[in-house]
Amino acid sequence: MQKRSLGPTLFTGVAILLAACSSGASSSPSSSTSQSESMAASESMAASESASAAPSSDLKIGVVTDIGTLNDKNFNEYSFKGAQSGASEIGAPEPQSIVPTSASDYAPSIKSFVDQSYDVIVTVGFNLASDTVQAAHDNPDTWFIGVDQSPICVDDAGLPDSTFTCAGDAKTLLPKYVSINFQEDQAGYLAGIVAAGASSTGVIGAIGGTSICAPCVRYIQGYELGAKSVKADIQVISAYVTNDFSPAAFQDQAGGKTFADNFLRQNTDVDVLFQVAGLTGNGVLDSACAAGILGIGVDVDQYDSYAAADPCLLTSAEKHLEVAVSDTLKQIAGDSATPGDVLYDANNDGIGVADAHDNADKWASDTQSLLDQALAGMKDGSLKTCPDNCGSLQ
C-alpha cells in the first residue's frame, strides 16, 4: 500500500516508433539520412501536438496560511504544495502565498488577494474559518477553498455564526466556498492497527487537545476500534488536555509534555501513545520518547514535521492535504466543484497512515496486510471505523 499520496502528476511523453533492422543488413547513407529526417519531423510534430494539447488556465490562485512558516512540514506546507500541484495540472500560473504573523492578519491577507482579483483563495486551517466565511459572503464571484474548516456554520444570511446555531445553508448561501474536511476516524483506525500490533503490554494510550474538538474525538474513536480489530482485549486509555479551545489545547508544547508525563505516571502499562493535539501534541511525543515508549503523530507524517520525535515515532495518522487541495482546484477549473462541506476519505485517497521509517522493526509482521484489508473495507463500506456517537464523547 502506498502510505502517502503526494497527488497525481501530469507526465507528457512522446512515442517514437523505431524500425527494426534485419541481422546483417546495411543501410545506405541516403536511406539513413532520410530515416533521421523522418524521425526528427515526427518528433517535432508530436511535440507540437503535445504542446497544443497541454491544459491551460488563467485562474489566479492565492494561499493564506495559518501563523507559522510556509515550509512547516505540516498544514501550511502541504496545503500550499497542493495548490502548486493543482495549478500545474490545470496549466495555471504559480500560486502566491501570504503567511500571517498574527490572527489579526487573517482577514487583511484574504482581502489582499481579493483586491488583486484572484480567482481562487485557499485558506489553511480552522483558525481562518470565520474570516473565510465572511470573505466568501462579501465576494460571491471569488472561489474559496477552506482547508479543515468544516462544518461550515453560517446564519440565515450566510454570515459567520458565532452562536453556532448554524441556521443557514452554506452551500446555497455561499455557492463558491468549498470547505475540505477529512474522515479522521478512518486515519485513526489505521493508526490503531499499527499500535495494537506494536504493543507488548496490551495497553495503549491517546491524548487529545480538547474534548470539544470533534475531529480529535473521531481520531481517537477510530484509533480504539482499529486497535481492537487486531486485539479484541487490548486496553485503550484516552484523555484530553482541556475541555475548551484555550491555547492549552493545541498551542502549548511544554504543557503537553507535562500533561503526558502525568498521564504516563498514572498509566504505567501504556507502551504506545497517540497524540491528537497539534503543537501541544508535540509535547506528548516528547514525553513518549523520554519514557522509552512509542509515539504516533497526527495529520501529517511527523517524521518530517517533528524530527525530535523520530527515534520513537511508530507512524502518523494522516490527512492528505496536498491531494485534497489539488483535486479541488482541478474541479474548480473543470466547473465540477461542489460548494459546502466536501469529505476526503479512503475513497479519494484523503486519509492514510505514514511509513514506519526508523521503527519498521516495531511493526507486527502482519500489519501491512491488515492495513490493506482495512482500506479495502473502508472503500467498499463494509468496515465501521467510528461508533454511532462519532465525534462526540456523549
Side-chain angles (χ1 to χ4, degrees), residues 188-239:
Y189 192 100
L190 298 176
I193 289 174
V194 179
S199 176
S200 59
T201 64
V203 183
I204 61 176
I207 294 177
T210 173
S211 61
I212 60 173
C213 163
C216 303
V217 176
R218 286 195 294 271
Y219 263 131
I220 293 174
Q221 288 173 326
Y223 176 72
E224 180 170 357
L225 289 180
K228 290 186 174 180
S229 75
V230 177
K231 297 177 180 176
D233 60 348
I234 197 166
Q235 186 178 2
V236 183
I237 303 172
S238 60

Side-chain angles (χ1 to χ4, degrees), residues 154-180:
V154 298
D155 61 21
D156 54 12
L159 292 166
D161 185 358
S162 59
T163 68
F164 293 99
T165 55
C166 306
D169 179 10
K171 63 181 177 293
T172 301
L173 295 168
L174 306 175
K176 287 196 171 184
Y177 177 25
V178 179
S179 180
I180 296 169

Side-chain angles (χ1 to χ4, degrees), residues 17-253:
L17 183 62
L18 298 177
C21 297
S22 61
S23 177
S26 62
S27 301
S28 67
S30 61
S31 64
S32 176
T33 301
S34 175
Q35 184 181 31
S36 176
E37 290 174 348
S38 176
M39 288 173 60
S42 296
E43 289 178 3
S44 177
M45 183 178 297
S48 177
E49 290 174 353
S50 175
S52 63
S56 178
S57 171
D58 59 1
L59 287 178
K60 291 176 64 177
I61 303 164
V63 180
V64 179
T65 71
D66 204 345
I67 299 165
T69 66
L70 188 61
N71 301 315
D72 63 355
K73 304 297 182 185
N74 212 305
F75 265 79
N76 288 350
E77 179 169 344
Y78 294 119
S79 296
F80 184 66
K81 283 185 173 180
Q84 290 179 308
S85 174
S88 175
E89 292 201 43
I90 64 176
E94 176 75 9
Q96 301 302 303
S97 64
I98 298 176
V99 182
T101 58
S102 69
S104 63
D105 292 334
Y106 293 154
S109 297
I110 295 170
K111 187 175 185 300
S112 174
F113 281 131
V114 170
D115 291 345
Q116 296 175 70
S117 300
Y118 273 67
D119 304 290
V120 186
I121 301 172
V122 182
T123 62
V124 181
F126 65 84
N127 288 330
L128 283 81
S130 180
D131 289 314
T132 304
V133 168
Q134 184 69 56
H137 173 272
D138 296 344
N139 303 279
D141 294 327
T142 302
W143 278 100
F144 291 87
I145 301 174
V147 181
D148 218 33
Q149 295 175 8
S150 300
I152 306 173
C153 185
V154 298
D155 61 21
D156 54 12
L159 292 166
D161 185 358
S162 59
T163 68
F164 293 99
T165 55
C166 306
D169 179 10
K171 63 181 177 293
T172 301
L173 295 168
L174 306 175
K176 287 196 171 184
Y177 177 25
V178 179
S179 180
I180 296 169
N181 66 106
F182 299 86
Q183 192 86 44
E184 290 91 359
D185 50 284
Q186 289 185 345
Y189 192 100
L190 298 176
I193 289 174
V194 179
S199 176
S200 59
T201 64
V203 183
I204 61 176
I207 294 177
T210 173
S211 61
I212 60 173
C213 163
C216 303
V217 176
R218 286 195 294 271
Y219 263 131
I220 293 174
Q221 288 173 326
Y223 176 72
E224 180 170 357
L225 289 180
K228 290 186 174 180
S229 75
V230 177
K231 297 177 180 176
D233 60 348
I234 197 166
Q235 186 178 2
V236 183
I237 303 172
S238 60
Y240 291 87
V241 175
T242 184
N243 298 314
D244 55 34
F245 278 108
S246 64
F250 301 110
Q251 301 170 34
D252 184 0
Q253 183 167 342

Side-chain angles (χ1 to χ4, degrees), residues 261-285:
D261 287 345
N262 291 333
F263 175 89
L264 292 174
R265 276 194 290 268
Q266 295 168 20
N267 302 284
T268 55
D269 289 334
V270 169
D271 61 355
V272 183
L273 187 58
F274 179 29
Q275 80 91 349
V276 190
L279 180 61
T280 299
N282 286 354
V284 173
L285 293 178

